[in-house]
Amino acid sequence: MSIIALDAPGKNVLLMGNEAIARGALEAGVKVCAAYPGNPSSEIIGSLSQVASQRGIYVEWSVNEKVALEVAAAASLAGLRGLAAMKQNGLNVASDFLFNLNLTGTKGGLVVVVCDDPSALSSSNEEDSRAFARIGDLPLLEPSTFQEAKEMTKWAFELSEELGLPCLIRSVTRVSHARGNVELGELPSTERKAKFDTARPIIPVPVAWTHRVLHEKLEKCKGFFEKSPFNRYDGPESPELLIVASGACWMYAAEAVETLGLKGRVGIVKLATTWPLPEEFLVEHLKRSSTVLFVEEVDPFIEEAVKALAAQRGEDVGVKRFLGKATGTIPSVGEMTPDILMGALKSIMGIPYEPRPADYAKRAMEAAGEAPLRTLGFCAGCPHRATYWAIKKALTLDGRDGFVLGDIGCYSLGMGPAGFFQMKTLHAMGSGAGLANGFGQLGRFGLEQPVVAVCGDSTFYHAAVPALVNAAYNRANFTLILLDNSATAMTGFQPHPGTGRTAMGEEVPVVDMEGLCKALGVEVEVVDPFDIEETVKRLSRFLESERGVRVLISKQECALLRARRPERERFKIRVDHDLCLGKECGCNRLCTRVFKCPGLVWDPSSGKAQVDEAICTGCGVCASICPQSAILKEAATT
Amino acid sequence: MILEKDPWNIIITGVGGQGNVLVSQILGQMLVDKGYVVTIGETYGASQRGGSVMSHLRISHRAQFSPLIPEGLADLVVGLEPTEVLRVLAPYGNPSTIVLSNTRAIYPIDVISGDAKYPALEDVVEKIKGLSKKLWVLNATEIALGLGDPIYSNIVMLGALASLELLPIDEEGFARVVEILMPSNRLEKNLQAFRKGAQAVREFN
Amino acid sequence: MEENRGLKALETLVFDRDLCTMCGACAQMCPYLVPWKGRIVKLHDCDLPEGRCYEYCPRTRVQLDDLQEAVFGTTEVDPEMGVVRRVLATRAKDPEMRGKAQTAGSTSAIVALALEEGIVDGALLTRKGDELLSEGVVVRDPARVWECAGSSYVASPTLATLNRKRWSREEKLAVVGIPCQILALAKMRRSKFPNPTARPKVVLTVGLFCTWALNFGPFSRFIRERFKGESILGMDITPPPDRLLLVKTQQGTQALPLDDIRPFIRPTCAICWDMTSELADISIGTLEGRSGWNTLVVRSQLGEEILDRAVERGLLEVEEMRKEELAHLKEASLLKKRRAILALKERKEGGSGYLDPIPRWAHLVEVASEEVAR
């Protein structure tokens, strides 16, 4: 049961930004919610799925964001309210549909929430999704606080219905994953019946007409935005500096101004409806000061639009000194923080600010230097460690400088020491298999290196199936290793077509990965990565083949999934110190130095390896790689 | 309780898997129940896979603040792991910072595998003392192991924090929040952990 | 900064410079080096400052006097051919056995005798496998020694077998190898490096004559092209002036000019100075000019004893070497030494330490260069 469905209007609760968005959707009477997991957006549909039956709504983990948006759009076209949530990359995937939907229009309220991840705290790339609003001529809202996230989402459904357009809400990690006070509203009990109007065809052409209609809708939206209470101004009548801030940056701006004691000198325009711009509102406040500082992340989206507005309305607004990313006052990459902003304000306003004595800072930095780094690695018993170990061995024995193309998931750690540096490329979901299609055709141009792609099970259903079809059809020559750990692990174990369970907890037949590959007519084998020798053997054979794509399904359950079950340990593992060679020539700490499972501890005082029983999950892989057979494995007693 | 400083800034820090996020959520809700405006910012991503985790809690009477605490403005640091306290004090500490720290180390993979050294615990604690106004310590992990699972160490720390009376938090408020946020069959164990933390904490001089 | 004498150095000084002989001495002692399809493959990096792989390698520092002292207890050498007690013409007495062999069966006869008499518990031999790839195999039954007869010409990492097995007790072994392998065995015997696991005691070494060995990968591709689908039963090199490689398949025997094969000679053979396995107890090769007979060189006390026993038991026929045959042998051996010294100079190694100090015969080779040049 999630707190977001608490029926207690007026109660003050601590909600995560994503939970507030979910609550706002519930308060608006949303009926259909769909998403694909992606940080920092996963908790929106995640929390809605927990209350789905309770609230009588339909919630789905779709295989990708385009399908998710289509699912939510269907609800809208049938007169119900729908919500689709995604991270920045998801909007890229959904955009083809979105830029047709804007022209065909919607019926029931449709809200698309995109959660950007400035500084790529848990992403492969950095991207400012707000540009999609401009490209698609769609209304865009940016919440700055948690209460606002809820209120804005609720209002966005009404706005969407008024305009007949999907409404974009753009959040960022620091709002989505942060928590704050939210006063709960009423949960509705309205019922609508789903009905699709078959009288009128829904088609984006002829664009001469539909595109014009779209523009008219946007004009109408501007009218709403001019009156929106989400936009406001705080500060003196005529400040020395006017800050225009949106999203999380507004919180930073408010705090920075207060902390630096600049409340009397600096005014802040909180812009929440950021596309289309509420022009009159902005013109009114731009008049207040001759110096304007734009604070936003990541791109100068508002900055450029407002400067264009100021140029257009020069006579009303006057000549301005604009500061922001264009002037280098604010960094043009990465997330904004209160400290970066305070630094900029210090120099603009010419004020000193030292939060703490310089010598303390120096001592503290030195002391922190002693804290050893926590590099990321695979969990104890992770099948990816075993698969990458086998891949490394097979490629090294093959000797033709073969390489691994990959993409996103826990297995992305294959680029680093945890995965023995095997993965060589990382792009979008399914890109490993996609690139392999290309590399797999370069033999005719002299490429002699064997091509391998890795792809997780969730990623397979998300994006790699078309790539595999392409490979079968165009006869690309590569080996595809499907890392099937029965989980969408990195984002929090959301179910997918291979897990046999839906978002709403229903048990469903598994979409059989091996069967799917067979149906495509490709050579496919299944192997347990914990059996290293067998995996190396099969992979070595596949590497030598030149007959089109081969699929090796490396199938073993995620260690964290297994840990939730009572019979979590497969084997009891221990190191025989009489046999262990430790640092000596003949071993040189293969298990701790190279294999590096956190369950294996190097004890410098005894010069031997030992097993940390609290961490070891008993997978037994280490026992098979020890050159002395000094790691013993016995069947675990329950 | 009127805050001596508004906002009052707490950082709870530890290693992925220690329940850092959960305990900051519990503490946050306990304070919301007492009428405060609370903002919590988390820094995690792939932390489950062994990385450092930080929660920034801002407590205020009047407004929501940035989920990121500005440099040098931490008033209290609660450390689930001692070297993580040092890592946090570097950007956020100041001479008035108060620290409550667990004294049990969690070794990063490079130390476990023998490629890096973990500093002597006494040195770490001494360094923390030198960078804080007051330091309280306890071996929360040991207490948690006594209760059957190291995962309780975050609740032990919460109980210890409550006993310091820096904030208006108590066992009753804790129980109320736990009943909503966590599975019911664990309430008794969590209360035990909370109480033991309150008993075990001592000031480090 | 101390110089590395472990895998790191082995990589930079030997593998990266194409000097690996594929003797197998470095492989399978640890998880980092394994023999695989005609290569020594490094599976992971090892950061130990020193190790047995470097110690045993015949292409890291060779102190020849030191090794001769360790093996024979003397440094008095015949400059052309190393320590020599006797040089004879020999062949296996049994003609059926001779038929199974490459030349005359002396090697197999010697090894079978050593097993029968219990001088050794096992013999590490090289058995031809599929597709020209050979591997080391331990034979304990004297009757099965003949299964490993026949030259391969493709370098085989036989010594890896010595490293691989977990030997349960101190078995006594005989090893048959080519000069680089015999050199590695001498370094092993000399080495003070502790062995953390039990290893057999190599008590008898039988070295074969060798001028060069072929690179498995490129050579096998070449043969597969030329003899599509046929399996190779054996190979032989004819003596001068023909200089042909005879390849025997089920279809018959084909002769390839040796020049066609030269591109596949391992580059490391160019700097090898040892044609007659100078560090072995007994060295055996062909006898040019006398078809069906071996040249057999006895170098050690044990070698003497075994030879006498073999003759005594009627396993081996022995005849004197003619003067011109001996002169011819020394010439050939000296020629290889000369080529090696010249090749080393051309390589501009600069401090690899191989052949350090320069052996005493080096001056001989320079001085006699005009005499031996053809």
Side-chain angles (χ1 to χ4, degrees):
Chain A
M1 212 290 278
S2 170
I3 198 173
I4 64 163
L6 199 57
D7 196 352
K11 183 161 163 70
N12 205 308
V13 292
L14 194 65
L15 287 185
M16 193 196 282
N18 282 345
E19 291 173 331
I21 291 171
R23 173 69 186 205
L26 285 177
E27 289 180 7
V30 75
K31 286 285 180 253
V32 173
C33 313
Y36 179 81
N39 272 331
S41 72
S42 310
E43 294 83 358
I44 297 173
I45 257 56
S47 57
L48 286 167
S49 70
Q50 283 173 26
V51 303
S53 16
Q54 189 194 343
R55 295 300 311 161
I57 62 178
Y58 175 68
V59 179
E60 169 180 306
W61 284 121
S62 310
V63 291
N64 64 41
E65 293 85 349
K66 175 165 178 284
V67 176
L69 179 57
E70 287 159 341
V71 167
S76 162
L77 293 175
L80 304 177
R81 288 186 168 179
L83 172 80
M86 55 202 71
K87 68 181 292 173
Q88 67 219 29
N89 309 84
L91 190 55
N92 301 345
V93 172
S95 60
D96 193 7
F97 180 68
L98 185 63
F99 296 153
N100 279 275
L101 189 65
N102 59 347
L103 293 170
T104 62
T106 51
K107 191 158 162 223
L110 176 63
V111 173
V112 181
V113 182
V114 59
C115 303
D116 282 350
D117 187 17
S119 285
L121 298 170
S122 40
S123 299
S124 59
N125 72 338
E126 180 175 69
E127 184 188 303
D128 188 336
S129 300
R130 296 177 294 169
F132 280 113
R134 187 173 54 219
I135 300 175
D137 292 321
L138 291 165
L140 173 68
L141 303 171
E142 292 185 59
S144 295
T145 68
F146 313 97
Q147 186 71 38
E148 198 163 78
K150 182 179 81 74
E151 302 300 333
M152 242 184 213
T153 305
K154 191 163 156 206
W155 182 61
F157 284 98
E158 290 169 31
L159 179 67
S160 167
E161 273 173 12
E162 277 284 338
L163 299 173
L165 273 185
C167 183
L168 279 172
I169 294 184
R170 186 257 196 168
S171 177
V172 292
T173 307
R174 297 297 179 193
V175 171
S176 278
H177 274 175
R179 290 188 150 90
N181 297 55
V182 177
E183 188 181 305
L184 299 179
E186 300 256 355
L187 287 171
S189 48
T190 50
E191 285 310 317
R192 290 185 191 180
K193 189 167 138 93
K195 173 120 173 72
F196 177 63
D197 180 6
T198 52
R200 193 170 67 82
I202 297 184
I203 184 168
V205 289
V207 293
W209 186 64
T210 57
H211 204 168
R212 195 180 17 238
V213 168
L214 177 58
H215 284 179
E216 285 165 7
K217 290 180 177 179
L218 220 56
E219 273 307 309
K220 191 172 168 197
C221 181
K222 256 192 214 175
F224 294 129
F225 283 178
E226 294 287 4
K227 297 180 297 211
S228 168
F230 295 124
N231 302 322
R232 69 167 197 266
Y233 173 76
D234 299 298
E237 191 65 34
S238 309
E240 288 166 53
L241 171 70
L242 185 75
I243 294 179
V244 177
S246 71
C249 295
W250 177 78
M251 282 194 284
Y252 307 150
E255 178 156 355
V257 164
E258 180 180 308
T259 309
L260 293 177
L262 291 168
K263 270 188 155 159
R265 299 168 64 190
V266 176
I268 305 176
V269 168
K270 177 179 173 305
L271 195 61
T273 62
T274 51
W275 191 264
L277 290 181
E279 294 178 353
E280 301 311 320
F281 166 83
L282 281 165
V283 164
E284 185 198 323
H285 294 295
L286 282 172
K287 287 178 188 167
R288 292 180 184 277
S289 172
S290 57
T291 311
V292 183
L293 170 65
F294 297 96
V295 186
E296 58 182 328
E297 48 189 6
V298 174
D299 291 338
F301 179 73
I302 294 174
E303 180 175 329
E304 286 174 357
V306 172
K307 288 201 280 196
L309 172 67
Q312 189 71 38
R313 303 283 296 269
E315 285 166 358
D316 299 319
V317 153
V319 176
K320 301 283 169 208
R321 182 167 150 244
F322 289 116
L323 301 171
K325 292 174 193 267
T327 52
T329 314
I330 299 287
S332 53
V333 303
E335 68 168 345
M336 180 53 52
T337 68
D339 291 309
I340 293 174
L341 183 51
M342 284 201 280
L345 286 174
K346 269 169 67 178
S347 60
I348 298 173
M349 305 302 288
I351 49 160
Y353 171 72
E354 283 306 330
R356 57 185 182 171
D359 75 284
Y360 178 97
K362 185 158 170 286
R363 273 192 304 127
M365 295 290 178
E366 271 169 20
E370 299 221 344
L373 285 177
R374 295 194 187 268
T375 50
L376 300 180
F378 295 122
C379 307
C382 174
H384 297 326
R385 176 183 289 108
T387 308
Y388 277 122
W389 185 265
I391 290 175
K392 181 178 181 187
K393 187 163 184 186
L395 284 178
T396 311
L397 289 176
D398 177 271
R400 289 177 289 162
D401 199 17
F403 52 91
V404 177
L405 309 158
D407 52 55
I408 298 175
C410 280
Y411 54 94
S412 303
L413 293 174
M415 293 208 95
F420 319 113
F421 304 99
Q422 289 305 293
M423 204 169 106
K424 299 297 181 190
T425 68
L426 189 157
H427 296 91
M429 301 276 286
S431 292
L435 281 172
N437 266 276
F439 280 108
Q441 298 291 359
L442 299 184
R444 71 200 70 204
F445 299 118
L447 188 80
E448 289 168 348
Q449 302 154 267
V451 180
V452 179
V454 292
C455 174
D457 46 335
S458 191
T459 311
F460 176 73
Y461 298 110
H462 182 291
V465 173
L468 187 56
V469 173
N470 190 73
Y473 167 57
N474 280 308
R475 310 291 294 146
N477 182 29
F478 66 95
T479 302
L480 175 62
I481 302 180
L482 292 177
L483 304 169
D484 185 0
N485 59 353
S486 308
T488 316
M490 194 56 134
T491 45
F493 298 95
Q494 295 80 8
H496 66 57
T499 61
R501 224 180 9 100
T502 66
M504 291 175 53
E506 240 188 288
E507 265 185 46
V508 291
V510 163
V511 173
D512 177 19
M513 188 185 283
E514 186 187 357
L516 213 153
C517 293
K518 281 196 178 135
L520 291 177
V522 300
E523 198 182 339
V524 57
E525 290 185 23
V526 183
V527 75
D528 175 5
F530 285 170
D531 185 348
I532 299 277
E533 283 319 307
E534 187 62 29
T535 308
V536 172
K537 202 167 98 185
R538 309 271 196 108
L539 181 55
S540 294
R541 196 160 41 79
F542 275 2
L543 289 175
E544 282 168 15
S545 164
E546 282 171 14
R547 286 187 331 267
V549 62
R550 293 81 65 191
V551 180
L552 184 64
I553 302 180
S554 178
K555 195 176 169 72
Q556 181 57 246
E557 196 182 13
C558 166
L560 296 179
L561 274 185
R562 161 163 241 112
R564 296 177 186 176
R565 301 211 298 266
E567 73 280 10
R568 62 189 279 273
E569 261 180 21
R570 288 156 63 98
F571 298 107
K572 204 117 197 92
I573 311 286
R574 64 179 185 90
V575 179
D576 183 336
H577 280 192
D578 291 326
L579 294 173
C580 172
L581 287 185
K583 257 194 165 158
E584 291 190 64
C585 173
C587 177
N588 193 15
R589 310 200 292 114
L590 180 74
C591 64
T592 52
R593 187 181 64 91
V594 188
F595 189 63
K596 265 192 149 156
C597 172
L600 289 162
V601 183
W602 173 248
D603 178 14
S605 56
S606 66
K608 307 279 179 192
Q610 48 204 27
V611 174
D612 185 341
E613 287 178 13
I615 297 180
C616 173
T617 63
C619 72
V621 176
C622 57
S624 67
I625 65 165
C626 174
Q628 299 301 116
S629 302
I631 301 181
L632 309 171
K633 73 181 197 203
E634 301 155 358
T637 51
T638 26
Chain B
M1 192 184 109
I2 307 291
L3 295 168
E4 57 189 43
K5 187 173 149 280
D6 193 325
W8 212 62
N9 302 322
I10 309 174
I11 299 183
I12 303 182
T13 182
V15 179
Q18 283 192 290
N20 194 307
V21 172
L22 177 63
V23 75
S24 68
Q25 193 187 349
I26 295 174
L27 176 59
Q29 186 62 54
M30 286 165 76
L31 291 166
V32 165
D33 286 346
K34 281 283 183 344
Y36 291 95
V37 183
V38 174
T39 313
I40 308 179
E42 318 275 9
T43 303
Y44 62 83
S47 312
Q48 175 93 64
R49 315 310 179 251
S52 307
V53 184
M54 251 198 320
S55 301
H56 288 202
L57 283 95
R58 328 291 308 278
I59 310 169
S60 168
H61 291 297
R62 51 194 175 98
Q64 211 90 52
F65 282 86
S66 143
L68 284 173
I69 297 174
E71 183 190 306
L73 294 185
D75 297 300
L76 167 68
V77 175
V78 178
L80 301 179
E81 207 278 345
T83 57
E84 294 308 313
V85 174
L86 285 180
R87 231 190 289 276
V88 159
L89 288 174
Y92 300 108
N94 63 74
S96 308
T97 305
I98 307 170
V99 178
L100 164 65
S101 183
N102 187 4
T103 53
R104 172 76 160 246
I106 293 193
Y107 300 121
I109 183 61
D110 289 326
V111 171
I112 293 174
S113 67
D115 293 331
K117 272 201 155 57
Y118 193 92
L121 215 47
E122 314 85 65
D123 284 345
V124 176
V125 177
E126 280 293 338
K127 285 217 158 69
I128 297 175
K129 178 81 183 81
L131 291 168
S132 54
K133 183 159 156 227
K134 257 188 172 185
L135 171 62
W136 283 279
V137 293
L138 74 163
N139 192 332
T141 311
E142 199 176 292
I143 297 171
L145 285 170
L147 290 166
D149 194 334
I151 198 62
Y152 288 109
S153 47
N154 60 349
I155 304 299
V156 171
M157 293 296 287
L158 189 57
L161 177 60
S163 76
L164 300 180
E165 296 188 347
L166 298 164
L167 294 164
I169 53 175
D170 55 24
E171 188 184 306
E172 193 198 323
F174 172 67
R176 242 183 293 125
V177 172
V178 166
E179 264 163 354
I180 303 177
L181 288 180
M182 286 166 71
S184 52
N185 56 9
R186 298 243 201 96
L187 177 60
E188 197 43 52
K189 263 276 164 58
N190 278 298
L191 284 174
Q192 282 180 40
F194 191 90
R195 286 171 199 146
K196 284 188 186 272
Q199 289 157 11
V201 66
R202 56 180 177 87
E203 191 171 342
F204 181 89
N205 286 307
Chain C
M1 240 254 300
E2 262 191 59
E3 231 177 72
N4 181 275
R5 290 198 334 269
L7 179 50
K8 282 192 181 146
L10 191 62
E11 256 192 296
T12 33
L13 297 177
V14 180
F15 296 138
D16 292 345
R17 294 195 210 179
D18 244 341
L19 291 180
C20 173
T21 65
M22 275 295 285
C23 68
C26 64
Q28 271 170 338
M29 278 189 289
C30 67
Y32 306 116
L33 290 173
V34 296
W36 184 260
K37 298 207 176 156
R39 295 153 38 229
I40 300 290
V41 178
K42 180 193 79 164
L43 290 178
H44 310 281
D45 286 318
C46 173
D47 61 358
L48 284 179
E50 55 177 15
R52 289 168 293 163
C53 54
Y54 182 92
E55 276 259 297
Y56 297 167
C57 176
R59 285 294 179 265
T60 59
R61 184 174 183 200
V62 169
Q63 296 170 278
L64 207 45
D65 275 355
D66 210 49
L67 291 173
Q68 278 159 344
E69 180 75 49
V71 175
F72 301 112
T74 175
T75 55
E76 266 187 46
V77 297
D78 181 351
E80 290 94 347
M81 284 174 38
V83 173
V84 176
R85 288 186 181 217
R86 289 199 269 163
V87 187
L88 302 161
T90 64
R91 65 180 187 178
K93 196 126 189 205
D94 183 349
E96 201 193 317
M97 292 295 144
R98 286 206 301 271
K100 289 191 186 171
Q102 179 74 20
T103 308
S106 306
T107 310
S108 303
I110 294 283
V111 172
L113 172 78
L115 282 169
E116 277 170 20
E117 303 266 313
I119 297 170
V120 296
D121 301 306
L124 175 56
L125 307 174
T126 302
R127 181 174 55 201
K128 282 200 284 289
D130 302 318
E131 302 184 18
L132 299 174
L133 201 55
S134 308
E135 54 172 1
V137 64
V138 178
V139 173
R140 294 196 166 82
D141 176 1
R144 306 199 63 172
V145 169
W146 300 92
E147 289 171 13
C148 299
S151 301
S152 149
Y153 299 112
V154 175
S156 162
T158 304
L159 296 185
T161 308
L162 198 67
N163 297 331
R164 173 182 59 204
K165 277 183 71 89
R166 238 183 326 142
W167 305 87
S168 46
R169 59 194 171 93
E170 267 212 350
E171 287 194 53
K172 289 180 289 182
L173 269 202
V175 182
V176 176
I178 53 178
C180 46
Q181 290 168 327
I182 301 298
L183 172 51
L185 286 166
K187 288 183 108 188
M188 278 183 211
R189 174 186 279 176
R190 184 77 186 81
S191 167
K192 300 254 191 302
F193 216 101
N195 278 306
T197 54
R199 281 168 80 84
K201 198 161 190 302
V202 176
V203 301
L204 169 65
T205 53
V206 178
L208 306 175
F209 289 13
C210 178
T211 329
W212 40 253
L214 297 171
N215 220 343
F216 169 72
F219 180 64
S220 76
R221 279 195 287 278
F222 167 79
I223 289 289
R224 259 186 281 139
E225 272 306 298
R226 280 296 200 98
F227 298 91
K228 282 196 163 58
E230 301 173 48
S231 42
I232 312 295
L233 298 175
M235 291 194 285
D236 198 5
I237 295 183
T238 62
D242 299 333
R243 305 251 103 199
L244 297 168
L245 178 74
L246 300 175
V247 182
K248 189 164 142 205
T249 67
Q250 251 140 11
Q251 257 81 317
T253 302
Q254 243 195 74
L256 303 173
L258 217 48
D259 283 335
D260 283 1
I261 310 300
R262 286 198 190 281
F264 308 114
I265 297 176
R266 295 185 74 86
T268 188
C269 297
I271 61 169
C272 177
W273 45 272
D274 185 356
M275 192 187 88
T276 60
S277 281
E278 296 183 13
L279 293 166
D281 291 300
I282 296 176
S283 302
I284 302 176
T286 58
L287 177 44
E288 264 186 47
R290 227 203 280 194
S291 164
W293 282 84
N294 288 121
T295 307
L296 187 145
V297 183
V298 178
R299 303 186 190 273
S300 69
Q301 177 65 32
L302 177 63
E304 292 259 31
E305 287 166 15
I306 291 185
L307 175 69
D308 291 340
R309 190 81 185 105
V311 171
E312 203 180 299
R313 283 194 46 191
L315 297 171
L316 215 57
E317 257 181 65
V318 171
E319 280 183 12
E320 290 299 316
M321 282 273 279
R322 299 174 205 136
K323 244 176 50 196
E324 60 274 18
E325 285 173 334
L326 188 57
H328 184 82
L329 177 62
K330 290 191 175 185
E331 249 176 56
S333 182
L334 210 52
L335 180 61
K336 190 171 184 196
K337 286 183 160 54
R338 175 179 172 262
R339 284 179 174 153
I341 293 293
L342 288 176
L344 270 172
K345 283 208 169 133
E346 256 177 50
R347 264 189 173 254
K348 299 191 210 88
E349 305 289 50
S352 79
Y354 175 66
L355 278 189
D356 174 20
I358 302 285
R360 277 174 275 148
W361 45 254
H363 79 283
L364 229 201
V365 173
E366 316 255 23
V367 164
S369 63
E370 301 93 58
E371 295 169 25
V372 287
R374 291 183 199 283

